[in-house]
Amino acid sequence: MKVSPLAGKPAPDSILANIPRLMTNYYALEPDITVATQRVAFGTSGHRGTSSERSFNEEHILAITQAICLYRQQKGIDGPLFIGIDTHALSESAFASALEVLAANNVEVMIDDRDGYTPTPTVSHAILTYNRGRTQGLADGIVVTPSHNPPEDGGFKYNSTNGGPADSGATGWIQDKANELLTDRLSGVRQITFDRAKRAETTHPHDYMEEYIGGLPMVLDLDAIRGAHLSLGVDPLGGAGVKYWDVIADRYGIPLTVVNESVDSTFRFMTVDWDGKIRMDCSSPYAMQRLIGLKDRFDVAWACDTDHDRHGIVAKSVGLLNPNHYLAVAINYLFTHRPEWPATAAIGKTVVSSGMIDRVAKRLGRTLKETPVGFKWFVDGLVNATLGFGGEESAGASFLRRDGTAWSTDKDGIIMGLLAAEMTAVTGKDPGELYQDLVREFGDPAYERIDAPATPAQKAVLAKLSASDVKESELAGEKIVSLMTTAPGTSDPLGGIKVVTANGWFAARPSGTEDIYKLYAESFLGAEHLRRIQTEAQDIIKRALGAQ
């Protein structure tokens, strides 16, 4: 991974997005449906792209929204649709396009009553709150966000009636129908003007902020936070929750300082990420330089990405925590401080998350559910409380209310940040110190993800590898004890492969958007052993791809 000389430095004017051009291209450029990169493509988190490359334009959003309307009709979903947006420049326009179609299709739509930004977890929470106790007239939702991606990007996600990211069956149907509509030059799309849509009888204001913030005591021990007299900090990174944090602090008497309340669609206040791009990635030490520089000012601080579904924790003791480290700490804390949670509630993690979580789960006596990549795999478990916690190595997680019922079924950076304050207040140790306690108990794993080149043909082969394609019996001097192409917790395909030994593992899966594959690896024997795993893993993958 080649690190840009700009990494970690304030963003220079030369790399800022040209917002007027971006917005013009959204309306002026038309996608070519015969070009693969210009078609609708739902990945693990919805459709993403940028208007300048004809991958996120008005026609895409009109087609996707009409496809969602048709999907709702097919599935008998006739309750309200909750819709939220983040602070990316394209989100506002995509919201307008979506509302024009939703209103034309007579869908009851719940928009923010302040015409403001709407964090992803508040949409999930609103869906669950509305549907609680109902068996018909169920609600679903749309979140307009490309998550932490660069300012030029747009994103569009569909959340099902369970409040979480829709499963592949739903997104596949919506994707195919949207591309069919694009092929037909949108002849099947119903649309009215934005002014009419905003005033339509089916468009309703909804107080997302009050509903979500008012319920926080049900999921967190805010009394403990208030009583500990900690110094707390938060950086919204110019994201959708920027107006939420002061309200939370005032409502609950929490000594929380919002270090940056700026909203600017160029995100010029960010420090540059590893590759020279502006990216609101709260797990990146390069993008998080400003908050890391304030670590001594606070007992614990955190940031959330643009739609506030991800978290980045900065502890006075260690600075920015690796996401895997915080997941392990959060799991260990929650399952020992939530006595009302079901005794059978399991722990959910993706196959590329740290083995430290496995060791913590075993000591807690809790079942570990290991899933493919994507938060959608945790949704049903959180709804029915068979999971107490679900988390991804990419700094996204959610967990149950204190009484053991569902809070949000999409990633929730807000509660994960406040949880860092709760555990510091209750234990007297910040999350970095709590992780060191786990290291003393279980060892100190070295973990890294790297990207390796792969052609489209090689990526297709990698996604369909079987265990028999790997001929090796050892990895980095240890016997291979497991070869996975399906997730042990769900039996669903990984879209790649995972190889495990007693003290290390690697997993490889193709990128959905770039000519690379992602190689995740971890060793409990140190950094040198990790490098050996990575080197041998790339050789194993190369041989497996070459044998096809």
Side-chain angles (χ1 to χ4, degrees):
M1 184 175 76
K2 185 178 180 181
V3 177
S4 167
L6 295 176
K9 299 177 182 177
D13 288 350
S14 60
I15 69 169
L16 298 182
N18 185 328
I19 302 303
R21 182 179 299 165
L22 190 72
M23 305 311 303
T24 299
N25 289 339
Y26 175 81
Y27 292 103
L29 299 184
E30 298 180 358
D32 182 348
I33 195 68
T34 65
V35 178
T37 57
Q38 296 179 31
R39 295 170 64 86
V40 172
F42 271 75
T44 55
S45 295
H47 175 76
R48 292 182 183 176
T50 182
S51 61
S52 302
E53 296 177 2
R54 302 176 192 256
S55 53
F56 194 93
N57 304 82
E58 183 183 30
E59 290 190 9
H60 291 109
I61 305 309
L62 297 177
I64 295 170
T65 308
Q66 184 64 50
I68 289 172
C69 292
L70 295 172
Y71 177 80
R72 297 178 97 242
Q73 293 172 18
Q74 183 190 80
K75 296 298 182 181
I77 301 171
D78 55 2
L81 183 143
F82 292 85
I83 187 168
I85 67 171
D86 76 356
T87 55
H88 276 80
L90 288 171
S91 294
E92 195 83 47
S93 294
F95 164 76
S97 300
L99 190 62
E100 291 170 3
V101 175
L102 293 167
N105 282 271
N106 296 311
V107 175
E108 301 284 337
V109 184
M110 314 299 284
I111 66 174
D112 185 70
D113 65 344
R114 298 170 176 83
D115 283 330
Y117 305 110
T118 322
T120 287
T122 70
V123 175
S124 176
H125 182 265
I127 296 169
L128 290 175
T129 299
Y130 183 87
N131 288 344
R132 195 177 301 276
R134 297 177 187 267
T135 57
Q136 55 187 2
L138 298 179
D140 54 1
I142 290 171
V143 188
V144 187
T145 175
S147 190
H148 60 287
N149 281 20
E152 295 87 351
D153 284 8
F156 204 82
K157 301 195 304 181
Y158 176 61
N159 280 30
S160 191
T161 55
N162 56 22
D167 62 28
S168 55
T171 56
W173 192 95
I174 292 167
Q175 169 188 289
D176 293 344
K177 179 58 68 174
N179 284 321
E180 181 183 314
L181 290 165
L182 286 173
T183 301
D184 293 340
R185 304 294 298 169
L186 303 180
S187 62
V189 173
R190 301 178 65 184
Q191 182 184 12
I192 62 176
T193 66
F194 180 65
D195 182 58
R196 286 182 58 199
K198 195 79 180 292
R199 293 184 289 105
E201 292 182 356
T202 52
T203 300
H204 311 284
H206 182 75
D207 195 346
Y208 287 93
M209 181 183 287
E210 173 58 33
E211 183 177 72
Y212 181 90
I213 292 176
L216 283 173
M218 293 187 288
V219 72
L220 294 152
D221 189 349
L222 298 175
D223 291 337
I225 299 174
R226 181 173 55 251
H229 305 294
L230 299 172
S231 176
L232 306 172
V234 61
D235 189 342
L237 300 182
V242 67
K243 299 297 185 184
Y244 279 58
W245 294 106
D246 281 335
V247 176
I248 291 171
D250 292 343
R251 172 78 61 89
Y252 298 110
I254 295 172
L256 178 61
T257 299
V258 183
V259 302
N260 176 24
E261 294 187 331
S262 299
V263 175
D264 181 332
S265 53
T266 67
F267 294 89
R268 64 179 68 238
F269 47 77
M270 292 295 300
T271 51
V272 179
D273 206 5
W274 67 272
D275 57 355
K277 295 182 179 181
I278 295 174
R279 190 179 286 109
M280 290 61 70
D281 184 354
C282 49
S283 66
S284 165
Y286 302 104
M288 286 280 283
Q289 276 301 298
R290 285 203 169 97
L291 190 58
I292 293 170
L294 299 175
K295 77 177 182 66
D296 293 332
R297 177 179 165 188
F298 302 109
D299 294 300
V300 66
W302 59 89
C304 292
D305 70 339
T306 325
D307 68 320
H308 273 45
D309 70 340
R310 301 187 190 214
H311 59 271
I313 309 301
V314 175
K316 182 177 287 187
S317 62
V318 298
L320 179 67
L321 269 77
N322 179 293
N324 275 302
H325 297 180
Y326 185 57
L327 290 183
V329 166
I331 289 165
N332 190 59
Y333 175 81
L334 285 167
F335 282 88
T336 53
H337 290 82
R338 293 296 187 268
E340 294 185 48
W341 280 12
T344 55
I347 296 163
K349 77 158 203 173
T350 59
V351 292
V352 295
S353 299
S354 174
M356 178 67 87
I357 296 171
D358 304 53
R359 288 157 171 77
V360 170
K362 184 176 181 180
R363 197 247 290 123
L364 291 169
R366 296 280 180 162
T367 300
L368 183 69
K369 183 177 181 180
E370 199 169 358
T371 74
V373 173
F375 200 80
K376 63 186 178 183
W377 300 104
F378 304 131
V379 173
D380 288 341
L382 290 169
V383 168
N384 59 31
T386 56
L387 285 181
F389 180 98
E392 297 184 296
E393 84 299 333
S394 55
S398 189
F399 52 92
L400 298 178
R401 301 173 190 236
R402 296 163 75 183
D403 67 0
T405 58
W407 166 257
S408 66
T409 47
D410 211 328
K411 300 185 288 288
D412 193 331
I414 298 175
I415 62 170
M416 289 298 290
L418 289 167
L419 179 66
E422 179 190 324
M423 65 175 68
T424 304
V426 171
T427 68
K429 296 181 179 180
D430 71 34
E433 293 168 320
L434 292 172
Y435 184 72
Q436 289 306 309
D437 289 344
L438 295 181
V439 166
R440 283 187 283 273
E441 183 177 359
F442 297 115
D444 189 6
Y447 177 102
E448 188 177 32
R449 192 198 99 183
I450 59 176
D451 298 334
T455 66
Q458 289 173 326
K459 292 198 300 177
V461 171
L462 176 57
K464 297 179 180 179
L465 282 183
S466 67
S468 62
D469 292 320
V470 176
K471 307 301 182 184
E472 288 76 9
S473 60
E474 289 191 353
L475 173 67
E478 293 193 308
K479 181 181 178 182
I480 293 173
V481 297
S482 176
L483 284 167
M484 304 180 198
T485 55
T486 59
T490 68
S491 299
D492 290 283
L494 298 181
I497 194 164
K498 182 175 182 179
V499 177
V500 184
T501 69
N503 292 291
W505 59 270
F506 79 83
R509 50 187 294 270
S511 168
T513 57
E514 301 174 86
D515 287 337
I516 60 171
Y517 72 86
K518 301 175 182 180
L519 179 66
Y520 307 79
E522 184 174 44
S523 171
F524 274 79
L525 299 180
E528 184 177 339
H529 189 244
L530 173 66
R531 298 287 171 260
R532 188 175 171 190
I533 289 176
Q534 291 171 324
T535 299
E536 294 187 18
Q538 292 184 70
D539 290 339
I540 289 172
I541 296 300
K542 190 180 299 183
R543 284 192 290 271
L545 294 179
Q548 301 302 307

